[in-house]
Amino acid sequence: SKSDSEVKDIIKEKSKWIYKKQIEFKKQKSSIIKPTFSEDTTVPYFGKNCILKVKVNQKKNSVKFTNSRLTVNLEGKRALKKEVQKVYDDWLIVKATKYLEARTAKLGVKTGLKPSKITIKGLKGRWGSALNGTIILNSNLMKCPKDVIDYIIVHELGHLKIQDHSYKYWNLVRKHYPKYQEKVKELEILSRVIL
C-alpha cells in the first residue's frame, strides 16, 4: 500500500487540479444572470444586470429604464412573472428594432456588405441569420454587451457574401472584426443564459 507521504502528494496534486478547474469554471460563467422576473432581481440589458422594479395598477403596460434600473409598469393588479416577462420582451423588440437596424446600417457601410432588408425577431436558439440579402437578428441580442452585438452583426453581414463557415468566410470576418474569436467564446457562455 502507499505510504502517508505518497498519499499526501496525490491529494496535493488533485487539489491543485481541482483549484485550476474551479478557476476555469469561474471564468466560463456568464456575467449575465438568467432573469426570474420577480421584484428586486435583475434583467439583462446591454450586458448589464439591471435591477427590476414592478409597479401594478398603472395606466398601461410599459417599461422605464433609468440608471441601470428597469421598471415594468403593469395595468393588472398582480405582478405575474409571465406578464412582467412579456412586457419586458415586447419592450426589447422595440429597442432592438431601433438599435440593431441603425447599427447594422452603420456596420454595413463600414464593411461594404449591405443587406437589402433587416428584420428583428425574438428568435429561439439562434442569434441571427442571413439569406438572399436579408439579415434577421434576434431581439435578445439587446441583453448582450455592445461589442458582442457588433460581432454578430458582422458575422451575419459576412454571410451575405459567403454562406458557409469556410476558411475564406472567417478571413472575411477577421478583416472586419479582428478579435472575433474572443466573442465566439463569450457567445457560447451567453447562449446558455439568453437563448
Side-chain angles (χ1 to χ4, degrees):
S1 75
K2 287 181 171 35
S3 68
D4 282 358
S5 66
E6 281 179 306
V7 170
K8 275 183 184 145
D9 283 346
I10 291 168
I11 290 169
K12 212 164 151 187
E13 270 309 302
K14 285 289 177 209
S15 54
K16 264 188 203 165
W17 181 85
I18 289 167
Y19 180 67
K20 210 175 119 194
K21 287 290 169 205
Q22 282 174 327
I23 285 173
E24 278 174 26
F25 183 71
K26 270 201 180 91
K27 278 185 189 163
Q28 273 188 357
K29 276 189 77 177
S30 170
S31 53
I32 292 178
I33 300 161
K34 201 177 177 78
T36 60
F37 300 102
S38 6
E39 177 85 20
D40 288 324
T41 58
T42 61
V43 287
Y45 187 53
F46 281 131
K48 289 188 174 66
N49 296 304
C50 304
I51 297 291
L52 174 68
K53 292 287 175 193
V54 183
K55 286 184 181 171
V56 293
N57 294 320
Q58 299 303 300
K59 279 192 180 79
K60 64 181 174 81
N61 289 346
S62 64
V63 172
K64 192 178 176 214
F65 176 73
T66 42
N67 311 327
S68 296
R69 176 184 290 222
L70 205 132
T71 307
V72 172
N73 298 307
L74 298 173
E75 284 178 296
K77 290 178 174 64
R78 289 169 63 214
L80 299 170
K81 286 180 192 179
K82 259 191 179 153
E83 201 54 35
V84 173
Q85 183 174 0
K86 191 191 178 315
V87 173
Y88 165 72
D89 285 343
D90 289 350
W91 176 78
L92 264 193
I93 286 180
V94 172
K95 289 284 171 194
T97 302
K98 203 174 169 186
Y99 181 81
L100 297 176
E101 280 182 4
R103 203 66 200 135
T104 305
K106 195 170 185 177
L107 289 166
V109 169
K110 207 174 155 187
T111 58
L113 302 160
K114 293 178 195 162
S116 50
K117 193 175 173 222
I118 305 158
T119 306
I120 313 299
K121 284 180 184 174
L123 300 171
K124 283 266 179 270
R126 61 192 316 183
W127 295 108
S129 64
L131 201 63
N132 306 328
T134 297
I135 282 183
I136 299 169
L137 294 169
N138 192 336
S139 58
N140 286 308
L141 275 166
M142 297 302 282
K143 298 173 184 177
C144 299
K146 288 182 179 178
D147 56 349
V148 171
I149 297 172
D150 279 1
Y151 161 68
I152 286 290
I153 293 170
V154 169
H155 183 107
E156 297 309 338
L157 287 170
H159 281 314
L160 295 174
K161 199 170 181 178
I162 304 165
Q163 271 293 305
D164 56 35
H165 286 114
S166 61
Y167 182 70
K168 211 172 156 187
Y169 167 79
W170 289 115
N171 270 349
L172 176 69
V173 171
R174 187 183 289 110
K175 189 179 149 192
H176 301 296
Y177 204 108
K179 291 184 173 179
Y180 81 90
Q181 279 159 312
E182 286 172 23
K183 299 304 149 211
V184 170
K185 284 193 182 95
E186 212 174 314
L187 272 162
E188 277 173 25
I189 297 160
L190 287 168
S191 297
R192 295 178 214 152
V193 183
I194 297 172
L195 280 184

